[in-house]
């Protein structure tokens, strides 16, 4: 029997993003100005974000058209396939049917390109010349570098120093797309100069360096790869395609699963299904995070800063606290203290649930998936796989769909340690 794969034709690619804010029966709590504690006026953010993205951040329109130039760029790797994990099912000997939506086919190997291209486009038409950002593991930095090259913007990336040293090939990838990348803390900003040479860096410091650079420079804007409403909005292209593909299979999934760092691949996958859940359809939706950075499962639901330095507006979200320092787990993309406000609200309202898995389970799942399905998953994505495997082992007759947010071919170092068995089980 051949492998079941659902491809969409290029012309079947969605033409609009889906904005869940139009359909929620409750309102999100507004971001607060860190200085006054009052709701943030969007105009105040115009210095760091372009107007169209700020409009999307608070829009209540249900569908927001995807601009033609962005659709054209999506066509390089979209629509992405929905694949039946036959070999995994066979290996587990389970009655559960497992499907995955594969986002690793993008030019930089993860779903992050979906929002990077949109953000680069909206910045370009707003007159931005330079995009500045931070990156941890390097996936966001490479996606934004690629998008900047496509839309003619200079991209500067502050990369957490320890990752910069551990992941040289991510840096090469950024350079290949003409992105400039420096290890953070750097000597380029006043904030960076406060730290000594040997400091390993944190995402919080890198964000502060990026924002300082933007505030110092005309025509420079800041770009964020997760958490914000407009980022999740752009990622809904994943869930919209998935819905079409499931329709072709005449399947309603019993469970949808995705890994969760800041919430963008999870939100992008599941938000288009929220109207179905509100209509009473019985779909269990699960966000999977690391046990060592358990924002959703162990965090508090309250206002907190998005960064460690306290420069960003305060957002109502599940958080471990802005000063939480997660252990150096191999899934760098999941080392965030907070969670997307939209995902947080859905969890608070019990429309979705969350689960945490251990690093050992994650790499066992990643290695197994590589062997049976033929794709080395990103360590982040392997969190979703680990959870799905546990569910499938219950041997229930049901259908699970998960998002494989990226491949792990730039993360083989993480697998090296796993193969040597020298993990600490956090
Ligand atoms: C960045 C990243 C994540 C985590 O970020 P989210 O915003 O939660 O999606 C997950 N998987 C991959 C492959 C990533 O690059």
């Amino acid at each position: 029997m051949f492998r079941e794969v659902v491809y969409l034709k290029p012309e079947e690619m969605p033409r609009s993003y889906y904005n869940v804010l139009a359909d929620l029966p409750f309102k999100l709590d507004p971001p607060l100005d860190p200085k006054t504690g009052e709701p943030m006026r969007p105009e105040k953010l115009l210095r760091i974000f372009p107007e169209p993205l700020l409009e999307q951040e608070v829009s209540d329109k249900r569908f927001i058209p995807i601009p033609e130039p962005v659709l054209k760029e999506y066509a390089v790797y979209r629509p992405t396939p929905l694949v039946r994990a036959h070999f995994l099912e066979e290996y587990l000997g389970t009655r559960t049917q497992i499907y995955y939506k594969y986002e690793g086919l993008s030019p930089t190997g993860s779903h992050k390109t979906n929002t990077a291209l949109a953000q680069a486009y909206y910045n370009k038409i707003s007159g931005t010349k330079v995009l500045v950002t931070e990156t941890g593991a390097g996936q966001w930095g490479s996606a934004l570098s690629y998008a900047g090259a496509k839309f003619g913007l200079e991209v500067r990336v502050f990369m957490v120093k320890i990752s910069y040293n551990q992941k040289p090939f991510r840096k090469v990838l950024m350079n290949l797309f003409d992105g400039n990348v420096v290890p953070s803390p750097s000597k380029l900003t006043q904030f960076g100069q406060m730290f000594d040479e040997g400091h390993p860096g944190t995402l919080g410091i890198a964000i502060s360096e990026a924002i300082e650079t933007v505030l110092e420079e005309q025509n420079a804007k800041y770009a964020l790869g997760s958490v914000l409403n407009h980022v999740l909005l752009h990622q809904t292209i994943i869930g919209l395609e998935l819905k079409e593909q499931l329709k072709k299979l005449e399947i309603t999934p019993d469970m949808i699963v995705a890994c969760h760092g800041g919430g963008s691949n999870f939100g992008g996958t599941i938000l288009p299904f929220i109207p179905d859940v509100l209509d009473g359809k019985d779909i269990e939706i699960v966000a999977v995070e690391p046990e060592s950075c358990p924002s959703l499962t162990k965090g508090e639901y309250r206002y907190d800063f998005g960064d460690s330095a306290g420069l960003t507006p305060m957002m109502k979200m599940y958080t471990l606290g802005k000063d939480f320092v997660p252990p150096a787990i191999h899934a760098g993309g999941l080392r965030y203290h907070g969670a997307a406000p939209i995902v947080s609200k859905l969890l608070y309202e019990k429309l979705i649930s969350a689960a945490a898995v251990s690093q050992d389970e994650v790499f066992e799942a990643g290695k197994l998936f590589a062997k049976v399905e033929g794709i080395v998953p990103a360590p982040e994505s392997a969190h979703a796989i680990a959870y799905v495997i546990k569910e499938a082992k219950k041997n229930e007759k049901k259908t699970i769909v998960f998002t494989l947010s990226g491949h792990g071919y730039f993360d083989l170092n993480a697998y090296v340690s796993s193969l040597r068995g020298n993990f600490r089980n956090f």
Side-chain angles (χ1 to χ4, degrees), residues 123-203:
N123 270 286
K124 183 69 182 179
I125 61 166
S126 306
T128 306
K129 299 276 188 269
V130 184
L131 273 180
V132 189
T133 196
E134 73 290 328
T135 196
Q139 280 138 330
W140 172 238
S142 36
L144 197 68
S145 297
Y146 172 77
K150 284 289 189 170
F151 286 105
L153 293 161
E154 182 187 333
V155 174
R156 290 189 213 152
V157 183
F158 288 93
M159 185 168 185
V160 176
K161 192 182 275 172
I162 186 167
S163 306
Y164 183 92
N165 293 330
Q166 280 171 355
K167 305 203 170 199
F169 291 137
R170 275 283 166 198
K171 173 184 174 292
V172 175
L173 193 60
M174 287 182 241
N175 290 158
L176 195 65
F177 298 131
D178 301 330
N180 302 297
V181 51
V182 292
S184 163
S186 76
K187 295 285 171 239
L188 298 178
T189 64
Q190 287 185 352
F191 191 68
Q193 287 165 13
M194 288 164 54
F195 301 89
D196 42 87
E197 204 55 45
H199 197 287
T202 67
L203 217 43

Side-chain angles (χ1 to χ4, degrees), residues 109-112 137 139-140 170 225-227 231-232 235 259-267 332-334 378-381 404-407:
S110 82
H111 66 290
K112 292 212 170 63
Q139 280 138 330
W140 172 238
R170 275 283 166 198
S226 188
V227 180
V231 179
L232 272 61
Q235 294 293 357
C259 68
H260 187 284
S264 75
N265 91 88
F266 174 76
L334 304 184
E380 289 85 355
S381 321
L404 187 60
S405 52
H407 68 62

